[in-house]
């Protein structure tokens, strides 16, 4: 019988192990992961290595990147005693459920995905098939746990809408009302879309060729201060009210970062700083960023000094992840009509 009724409050989110985390990942996603770990949720956080290989990854570097991401997660405050931390490829249900979802989702749905268009650029024909059906694997990540809440940055909103569409169509096609939950995106905080420090109209991203465009979680105090000092601004002083940020993307971004790091609202930041010059604001922002970000790098190094311990933590996390996802996969196979011999 199809499972109906309420699903538990379960959080799932993933980050790709494809290079250093930056301030956008932290403020848009990981900071929220840590807060939700302390709230009334069961929390599952995944290093999505199968998503990373949708574009070429050097095999030796990929293993390092997975350990580094695990170290970054823990350095930011995720605790393997409180959250399930694991890498995606160690829980086979993700890839297995993704296949079912490839058969549920429609090509037209995938064709609308803006992230595929951005990542494939002019060369869509030469992109991997994996990059194209990436959102079906993401839906599988979430739904293999019957997760209900997914904290992400703004750029993942469309993928979460697709996840809902896949859940609805599956439940409908296989007469299983409520089997897969309709997930709630959790896109919250003062900085769900942190922009490049060099161009306030572009997202802060690990793929930007300019390292000055982003603050990496591995940057030391000097690098953080320098990047903020060099951040692009306009010549006007800070406005007194939020409406004064219209048409000033760089000012909006720096105010948003200050707000998120200090735990204040952007209006509150402007009440304090309105009318003052960036030459006064930037050093205060730099101090705040150094205070929040620089200790993360130190803690990351401590975790990375013992890679065996990281592997042990991810292995233990994967066992817990499999214990939840495998029964859900079995039920899914059953609903689809795939024969399982006893
Ligand atoms: P990724 O590194 O693309 O796997 O992203 C990991 C998480 O960070 C996702 O939830 C993204 O939405 C979030 N994220 C990435 N870049 C930014 C950004 N510039 N601002 C806010 N959130 C971001
Ligand atoms: N697509 C997400 C990104 O690029 C990463 C991701 C993969 C994810 N699976 C997920 C996020 C499941 C939330 C839930 O950032």
């Amino acid at each position: 019988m199809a499972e109906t009724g309420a699903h538990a409050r379960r959080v799932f989110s993933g980050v790709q192990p494809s290079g250093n985390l930056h301030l956008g990942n932290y403020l848009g996603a990981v900071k929220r992961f840590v807060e939700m770990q302390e709230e009334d949720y069961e929390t599952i956080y995944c290093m999505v290595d199968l998503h990373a290989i949708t574009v070429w990854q050097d095999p030796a570097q990929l293993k390092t990147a997975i350990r580094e991401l695990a170290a970054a997660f823990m350095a930011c405050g995720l605790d393997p005693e409180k959250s399930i931390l694991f890498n995606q490829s160690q829980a086979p249900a993700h890839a297995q459920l993704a296949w079912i979802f490839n058969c549920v989702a429609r090509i037209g749905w995938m064709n609308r995905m803006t992230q595929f268009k951005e990542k494939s650029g002019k060369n869509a024909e030469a992109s991997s098939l994996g990059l194209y059906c990436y959102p079906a694997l993401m839906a599988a990540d979430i739904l293999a746990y019957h997760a209900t809440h997914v904290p992400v940055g703004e750029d993942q909103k469309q993928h979460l809408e697709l996840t809902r569409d896949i859940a609805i169509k599956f439940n409908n096609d296989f007469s299983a009302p409520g089997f897969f939950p309709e997930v709630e995106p959790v896109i919250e905080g003062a900085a769900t879309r942190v922009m490049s420090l060099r161009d306030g109209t572009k997202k802060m991203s690990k793929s930007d060729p300019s390292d000055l465009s982003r603050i990496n979680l591995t940057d030391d105090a000097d690098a953080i201060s320098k990047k903020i000092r060099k951040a692009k601004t306009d010549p006007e002083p800070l406005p007194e009210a939020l409406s004064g940020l219209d048409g000033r993307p760089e000012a909006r971004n720096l105010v948003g970062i200050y707000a998120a790091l200090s735990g204040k609202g952007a209006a509150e930041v402007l009440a304090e700083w309105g009318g003052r010059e960036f030459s006064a604001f930037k050093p205060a922002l730099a101090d705040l960023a150094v205070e929040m970000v620089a200790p993360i790098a130190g803690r990351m190094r401590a975790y990375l000094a013992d890679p065996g311990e990281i592997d042990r933590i991810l292995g233990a996390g994967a066992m817990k992840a499999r214990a939840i996802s495998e029964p859900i996969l079995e039920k899914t196979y059953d609903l689809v009509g795939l024969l399982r011999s006893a």
Side-chain angles (χ1 to χ4, degrees):
M1 281 300 291
E3 185 182 319
T4 52
H7 290 276
R9 284 160 62 86
R10 187 178 277 157
V11 170
F12 184 99
S13 196
V15 176
Q16 298 191 56
S18 47
N20 278 334
L21 284 193
H22 52 71
L23 191 65
N25 299 129
Y26 179 65
L27 296 176
V30 185
K31 190 161 176 280
R32 199 73 191 96
F33 297 179
V34 178
E35 288 160 6
M36 293 184 98
Q37 168 184 266
E38 307 302 335
E39 294 165 14
D40 182 25
Y41 295 100
E42 181 180 358
T43 44
I44 308 174
Y45 298 120
C46 185
M47 285 121 253
V48 290
D49 47 11
L50 298 175
H51 277 108
I53 60 167
T54 57
V55 297
W56 167 254
Q57 304 290 333
D58 179 85
Q61 277 174 20
L62 180 57
K63 287 185 182 160
T64 305
I66 296 166
R67 293 190 183 107
E68 282 176 356
L69 180 56
F73 271 7
M74 292 189 284
C76 289
L78 292 181
D79 176 351
E81 301 293 322
K82 295 183 182 166
S83 294
I84 298 178
L85 304 181
F86 73 110
N87 59 307
Q88 190 184 27
S89 61
Q90 292 205 67
H94 295 243
Q96 292 168 308
L97 188 58
W99 180 256
I100 304 287
F101 288 169
N102 280 339
C103 302
V104 171
R106 306 287 94 181
I107 289 177
W109 300 2
M110 295 296 162
N111 285 342
R112 287 196 285 276
M113 295 295 114
T114 54
Q115 185 166 303
F116 176 75
K117 289 179 197 161
E118 276 161 28
K119 284 199 180 178
S120 61
K122 291 194 188 72
N123 218 1
E125 292 280 315
S127 295
S128 73
L129 204 47
L131 188 66
Y132 185 65
C133 58
Y134 173 118
L137 177 59
M138 177 161 163
D141 295 340
I142 298 165
L143 296 174
Y145 298 87
H146 280 176
T148 52
H149 293 75
V150 183
V152 282
E154 178 71 41
D155 60 349
Q156 295 303 311
K157 196 164 172 225
Q158 195 186 34
H159 287 159
L160 292 184
E161 283 160 6
L162 186 94
T163 300
R164 289 172 73 103
D165 290 343
I166 289 177
I168 292 168
K169 187 167 190 298
F170 181 96
N171 293 348
N172 201 35
D173 286 357
F174 297 102
S175 308
F179 178 64
F180 286 121
E182 290 178 36
V183 293
E184 284 296 329
V186 181
I187 303 175
E188 285 172 359
T192 54
R193 190 171 170 80
V194 178
M195 308 309 279
S196 155
L197 298 178
R198 305 301 297 161
D199 176 351
T201 62
K202 274 182 19 197
K203 195 175 71 162
M204 185 178 283
S205 150
K206 47 191 151 197
S207 56
D208 193 313
S210 166
D211 195 54
L212 284 175
S213 70
R214 65 183 159 260
I215 293 175
N216 304 302
L217 296 189
T218 47
D219 284 346
D220 62 17
D222 285 348
I224 296 170
S225 301
K226 178 174 134 201
K227 288 176 180 178
I228 291 184
R229 219 171 39 243
K230 289 187 177 260
K232 188 176 166 201
T233 46
D234 56 40
E236 302 297 320
L238 285 148
E240 314 266 345
L242 286 177
S243 57
L245 293 172
D246 291 349
R248 299 180 64 187
E250 283 83 16
R252 180 186 297 280
N253 189 36
L254 294 185
V255 169
I257 292 173
Y258 189 102
L261 287 173
S262 63
K264 294 181 180 158
E268 219 181 319
V269 174
L270 292 182
E272 196 180 326
W273 287 92
R276 297 176 66 188
E277 302 291 333
F278 278 105
S279 55
F281 182 70
K282 280 182 168 181
L285 177 59
D287 285 349
L288 197 57
V290 166
E291 189 190 319
M292 301 292 290
V293 176
I296 295 177
R299 289 196 292 270
M300 250 183 94
R301 274 194 297 277
Y303 285 116
L304 284 169
D306 191 352
E309 174 64 5
I310 295 184
D311 293 2
R312 196 198 59 72
I313 290 169
L314 296 183
M319 269 178 59
K320 294 186 208 162
R322 287 198 297 265
I324 302 173
S325 55
E326 277 168 13
I328 292 175
L329 180 80
E330 280 303 317
K331 180 77 201 164
T332 308
Y333 277 180
D334 182 52
L335 286 166
V336 171
L338 301 172
L339 182 66
R340 323 295 293 151
S341 44

